[in-house]
Amino acid sequence: MRRTLSAAATLAAAALPLLAQVPDARLRDVRREPANWLTYSGDFGAQRYSPLAQITPANVGSLRPAWVYQATESGAMQASPLVVDGVMYLTEFRGHVVALDARSGRVLWRYQQTLPEKLLTLGFGPTNRGVAVLDSTVFVGTADARLVALDARSGAVRWTAAVADNALGYAITAAPLAFGGLVVIGISGAEAGIRGFLDAYDARTGERRWRFHTIPAPGEPGSETWSGDAWKTGGGSTWVTGSYDPALNVVYWGVGNPGPDWNGDLRPGDNLFTCSLIAIDAATGRLRWHFQYTPHDTHDWDASQIPVLFDGKFKGKPRRFVAMANRNGFYYLLDRVTGEFLLGEPYIRQDWAEGLDPKGRPILRPNTEPTEEGTPLTPNLHGATNWYSPAFSPGTGLLYVASRQMSSRYFKAPVTYEPGRFFMGGGETEFGGDSAQGAVQALDPLSGKARWRFPLFSPPWAGLLATGGGLVFGGTNEGVFFSLDAASGRPLWHFQTGAMIQANPIAYAIGGRQYVAIAAGGTLQVFSLVGSPPGASP
Amino acid sequence: MRLLSLSSLIWLAIAAPLAGQADSASDPVLAGAELAAVERLFVSQCARCHGMGGTGGIAPSFRQPKLRRAPTDDAMVRVILSGIPGTAMAGFWNLSEDEARQLTAYVRSLGRLPPERVPGDSGRGRALYAGPGNCSTCHILAGDGAGWAPDLTDVGRRLNAAFLRRALIEPGADQPVLPLPSVHGPYPAYLVIEVTTGSGKTLSGTRVSEDDFTLVLRAVDGRLHSLEKTSLKALRKLPGQSPMPSYATAFSAEQLDDLVAYLASLKGEQ
């Protein structure tokens, strides 16, 4: 009897239509469900803000480890996990995907990534920064430049799309951005002289819907900023996940450095759309507008940072903003409808530009180009910040940035393009050790001025999280995960994780208990308050 | 050719432990066009992470005689072609074995000192080391002595005579460097720090470890002090100072020659 019953129950379940786990509507309205962390940056505006308020400046002192996940693949995890209804989706080094019970840390399934033996990751190693989720599918990019769609419940492969040719140095490290039936994915490889692009794939079939080339071909808009064949190896990677405005249906994405990195003689001109922010119509893949932060870059200052979206008033007028603390040392505020430059201010001590002109173009100081003898300059190639995320708190109205104060000597060298090899034309010797520092800074996003700064021992490689409880979380190279008062920058709590932190924190909740998570080395470490939270379900 | 002068320039520009290092041109293994070609290869394929001239960056510096992961030339060829799993050092399978061998020779040359003739008598120097110098109260040498100051077992491979002499006369002028784990080096390994604790006590010692919140100091008596930075009233870093006494007046010029000759003879071979 019992057997028949359960068989019948199984049949009934099978007959149910597949429930879409995370329909687009949920992604558009993430603020209604703060218990989850549904996109790479927490929301389409890329604010990396959690409204959760159980952990506060008053009680953060009793934050303790809840559980730790140890990766099976050796290598530092740089991923920002997602949390969907109690399940965490995380990627390890080399891009394996694991689904974990977000309360206990127990493994639910694992997708083992197979990478070819002859893999090319020129300049970064086979790291992976996370997944995207839409409906009941999890999307992950691979180091050999494929995009893979996995069933969210089992990890089974739904489809695989070949994005580009890894033999030429194309690779994927970024987390995809999924919405409205599309999966948008960026590409890495500018150090190999690729021609960059931003792609969108059909979330259901894996078919490519559009491609925007970040380096225009002759005749296309922007091609006047290139000469000869330089565009063919012009770089312009899109290796950090962008943001999205559903109301405008526009994707905002940072574009990386031109190729070759340091020898600009081979590519005279501004080299659009490298080191720019591009605003792409999500329906067509066409360019709405662009803003170039660093024209004709020769210092590897990719604009591969997070474009943060928020709304407010500028000079009395309501505006929709896109803000970016750029690798070149300047913070920029733009109107995200038109791309109009509103303001730009340095946020570290830089010495390559006198300032910005009224259009936001840098006013160069003399003798800042790399030379054969070496040119000392600030910031160094890793920039005033890097791929790791800033955080914006609607509560304090402040933009939190982990910044790097480091100089180096830039060299130029002759270079010729060889497919599948480094194509850089120079290098640097950095001024490290005690001469370099970092900071967490709280910028007033409407003026670019720092409200407070918390100094860091060395230039960081970890992002920040702001919470509704009034906290900012961050990590250090020395392995410390820490929390600051979001209003004052006062340090409130810290924990030695045991490995360099080069990842972004997130927050989520289960059963009324708030958790904060960060990857450190080959582990993911999750923290919550000691004792049972008020109103927690058993 | 240009790159050659470039690497010696870098060399002057940064104070590094292998001071007075030879131009790689004097290296017997690599010379002329072959050297220029491998140097080009290094700049284009390796300098991104290991720094121009192998001075280090997100990857280790090559300005040292021993490499942790590449103790032998064969091991280095393997590291270059196959990489180091779990790190940014991906295998350069698209280089030929020949290129990997040349790069290995080049990388080795960056960490090697040129042979030099050193005046002085190393036998007498050895006696000074063991006797009146009291060196082994701080240093360890071939397993003997106290181990908190630099291990001198192979110091003759790491430092040239001029550098050794300066270490005896002006300790603290050049600091051995410590690549703090996973962090952009070089950090001086024996930075002297003086702190005033919450209770008003003054402590001084060399830095063993530091981050934003913690500091571990080793006092002159060898004892470790683990401190929370927020509880300190004051923290002063004293670059240029050293716990090592200067031997400029304690020893005659001749004795210093002998000591330098002895140190220069220490190659670490058992």
Side-chain angles (χ1 to χ4, degrees):
Chain A
M1 276 316 275
R2 282 188 83 200
R3 198 183 284 157
T4 339
L5 250 183
S6 69
T10 313
L11 276 175
L16 283 175
L18 281 179
L19 274 180
Q21 207 183 5
V22 187
D24 196 47
R26 279 182 74 181
L27 294 175
R28 284 166 195 265
D29 219 357
V30 291
R31 290 284 179 256
R32 289 181 54 158
E33 42 175 312
N36 290 310
W37 190 272
L38 297 178
T39 69
Y40 178 75
S41 295
D43 75 307
F44 284 151
Q47 296 182 346
R48 199 162 287 274
Y49 170 77
S50 165
L52 294 174
Q54 189 175 75
I55 305 169
T56 66
N59 64 19
V60 67
S62 45
L63 201 59
R64 295 288 182 275
W67 54 265
V68 170
Y69 171 73
Q70 297 261 7
T72 51
E73 178 78 45
S74 75
M77 279 202 275
Q78 299 189 328
S80 185
L82 301 188
V83 176
V84 182
D85 306 330
V87 178
M88 176 181 285
Y89 300 97
L90 176 68
T91 56
E92 297 183 358
F93 193 70
R94 294 181 76 81
H96 312 298
V97 185
V98 284
L100 306 171
D101 173 17
R103 192 191 62 79
S104 66
R106 298 294 294 166
V107 176
L108 304 175
W109 56 254
R110 177 180 177 84
Y111 167 70
Q112 185 78 13
Q113 189 71 256
T114 13
L115 294 175
E117 211 168 289
K118 298 198 160 178
L119 181 71
L120 278 185
T121 53
L122 293 176
F124 37 87
T127 189
N128 188 284
R129 305 220 162 97
V131 299
V133 65
L134 180 63
D135 295 328
S136 55
T137 308
V138 169
F139 305 93
V140 64
T142 72
D144 60 339
R146 290 171 296 124
L147 182 64
V148 181
L150 306 171
D151 180 272
R153 280 152 299 206
S154 64
V157 176
R158 287 190 193 282
W159 52 257
T160 299
V163 173
D165 187 358
N166 179 246
L168 296 174
Y170 290 90
I172 297 174
T173 56
L177 184 67
F179 59 86
L182 284 184
V183 192
V184 179
I185 186 70
I187 196 86
S188 308
E191 275 61 58
I194 62 159
R195 180 184 177 212
F197 55 79
L198 187 67
D199 271 5
Y201 293 82
D202 186 302
R204 214 181 294 259
T205 64
E207 256 171 274
R208 196 163 89 204
R209 289 271 202 84
W210 50 255
R211 166 167 292 184
F212 176 78
H213 274 289
T214 55
I215 310 293
E220 290 173 5
S223 59
E224 67 286 356
T225 65
W226 292 89
S227 59
D229 279 347
W231 63 276
K232 289 183 180 164
T233 52
S237 324
T238 45
W239 60 279
V240 172
T241 309
S243 48
Y244 172 58
D245 183 333
L248 298 170
N249 202 25
V250 169
V251 172
Y252 300 90
W253 214 281
V255 181
N257 61 281
D261 301 47
W262 290 297
N263 191 335
D265 303 347
L266 302 186
R267 46 172 175 82
D270 276 358
N271 306 137
L272 286 174
F273 298 94
T274 63
C275 302
S276 302
L277 184 69
I278 51 174
I280 303 288
D281 187 317
T284 61
R286 291 218 189 91
L287 185 70
R288 286 262 184 100
W289 55 258
H290 77 276
F291 177 83
Q292 191 174 40
Y293 301 99
T294 317
H296 189 71
D297 167 58
T298 49
H299 302 96
D300 197 2
W301 293 332
D302 305 59
S304 302
Q305 292 83 47
I306 300 282
V308 181
L309 313 186
F310 66 100
D311 298 342
K313 270 192 180 154
F314 189 77
K315 296 187 173 156
K317 204 177 141 202
R319 293 266 196 177
R320 287 183 267 186
F321 300 113
V322 52
M324 184 185 279
N326 193 273
R327 189 154 156 175
N328 70 13
F330 285 82
Y331 162 80
Y332 296 82
L333 186 68
L334 310 179
D335 182 310
R336 76 170 177 272
V337 183
T338 60
E340 182 189 345
F341 168 76
L342 300 175
L343 136 106
E345 284 288 331
Y347 64 98
I348 62 150
R349 294 184 310 277
Q350 58 78 32
D351 60 11
W352 66 282
E354 294 295 348
L356 305 178
D357 77 8
K359 294 253 184 238
R361 191 182 174 94
I363 304 160
L364 298 183
R365 299 182 60 186
N367 308 322
T368 56
E369 287 287 297
T371 54
E372 274 142 27
E373 306 74 40
T375 306
L377 205 66
T378 314
N380 90 314
L381 92 90
H382 297 301
T385 190
N386 207 288
W387 64 267
Y388 54 78
S389 297
F392 173 82
S393 165
T396 60
L398 297 174
L399 181 75
Y400 303 96
V401 180
S403 63
R404 306 168 48 86
Q405 185 72 51
M406 186 171 192
S407 311
S408 76
R409 193 178 284 275
Y410 288 92
F411 293 89
K412 181 163 94 172
V415 62
T416 40
Y417 176 75
E418 288 175 75
R421 284 207 176 181
F422 274 118
F423 180 58
M424 293 183 296
E428 69 160 12
T429 56
E430 56 181 40
F431 301 136
D434 288 301
S435 75
Q437 295 94 34
V440 176
Q441 303 192 52
L443 301 182
D444 170 0
L446 299 179
S447 71
K449 300 276 190 273
R451 283 282 181 77
W452 53 254
R453 65 193 293 287
F454 175 73
L456 294 177
F457 179 70
S458 62
W461 281 106
L464 302 173
L465 164 75
T467 70
L471 296 168
V472 171
F473 288 89
T476 74
N477 295 332
E478 294 73 38
V480 180
F481 187 45
F482 62 85
S483 176
L484 309 176
D485 185 322
S488 67
R490 202 161 47 94
L492 299 171
W493 170 85
H494 63 267
F495 179 84
Q496 174 56 251
T497 62
M500 176 179 180
I501 301 179
Q502 32 187 332
N504 297 313
I506 67 152
Y508 64 95
I510 294 173
R513 180 185 287 273
Q514 181 183 349
Y515 296 88
V516 183
I518 185 83
T523 66
L524 183 86
Q525 311 197 10
V526 179
F527 300 83
S528 68
L529 294 174
V530 283
S532 36
S537 53
Chain B
M1 278 298 109
R2 262 192 210 125
L3 286 171
L4 259 185
S5 60
L6 178 152
S7 60
S8 41
L9 263 170
I10 297 166
W11 199 234
L12 293 172
I14 64 153
L18 285 168
Q21 163 115 19
D23 216 347
S24 27
S26 64
D27 190 271
V29 188
L30 290 165
E34 199 185 26
L35 174 62
V38 69
E39 222 156 6
R40 242 189 336 268
L41 191 62
F42 184 88
V43 168
S44 66
Q45 307 301 307
C46 319
R48 168 79 181 180
C49 304
H50 290 280
M52 290 292 274
T55 51
I58 66 162
S61 164
F62 290 138
R63 302 284 185 167
Q64 43 186 341
K66 277 195 229 158
L67 295 173
R68 201 165 50 102
R69 307 274 206 175
T72 63
D73 286 0
D74 284 345
M76 195 182 306
V77 169
R78 261 197 315 278
V79 161
I80 294 170
L81 294 176
S82 313
I84 301 171
T87 75
M89 180 67 201
F92 285 83
W93 51 265
N94 56 353
L95 294 180
S96 70
E97 171 134 8
D98 236 35
E99 287 174 310
R101 293 231 168 255
Q102 288 184 346
L103 280 167
T104 296
Y106 176 72
V107 168
R108 289 277 181 239
S109 77
L110 295 173
R112 201 181 301 130
L113 290 175
E116 55 178 345
R117 203 166 300 133
V118 184
D121 180 312
S122 76
R124 285 202 304 258
R126 182 196 190 102
L128 290 169
Y129 184 95
N134 270 328
C135 315
S136 61
T137 55
C138 300
H139 289 283
I140 192 163
L141 199 169
D144 282 334
W148 68 269
D151 185 344
L152 299 179
T153 307
D154 64 351
V155 73
R157 272 173 60 177
R158 294 190 286 116
L159 306 175
N160 68 12
F163 197 102
L164 288 168
R165 183 180 303 276
R166 197 161 55 237
L168 297 174
I169 294 173
E170 281 181 79
D174 305 290
Q175 276 272 348
V177 292
L178 171 80
L180 294 182
S182 308
V183 175
H184 293 286
Y187 288 87
Y190 296 88
L191 180 69
V192 176
I193 295 188
E194 200 175 80
V195 300
T196 312
T197 64
S199 59
K201 222 170 70 183
T202 304
L203 278 176
S204 86
T206 50
R207 174 172 70 183
V208 181
S209 155
E210 182 181 4
D211 66 27
D212 293 290
F213 301 95
T214 66
L215 176 65
V216 182
L217 287 186
R218 191 188 310 273
V220 239
D221 60 7
R223 211 173 303 175
L224 289 177
H225 296 275
S226 172
L227 305 162
E228 281 295 310
K229 278 183 169 176
T230 45
S231 73
L232 300 175
K233 284 209 180 106
L235 188 160
R236 285 170 299 277
K237 295 187 177 173
L238 305 168
Q241 291 208 10
S242 171
M244 172 164 155
S246 166
Y247 291 88
T249 51
F251 287 154
S252 68
E254 201 187 5
Q255 284 175 312
L256 285 172
D257 280 348
D258 294 343
L259 203 46
V260 169
Y262 173 57
L263 294 169
S265 74
L266 299 171
K267 304 289 189 194
E269 291 117 23
Q270 234 74 59

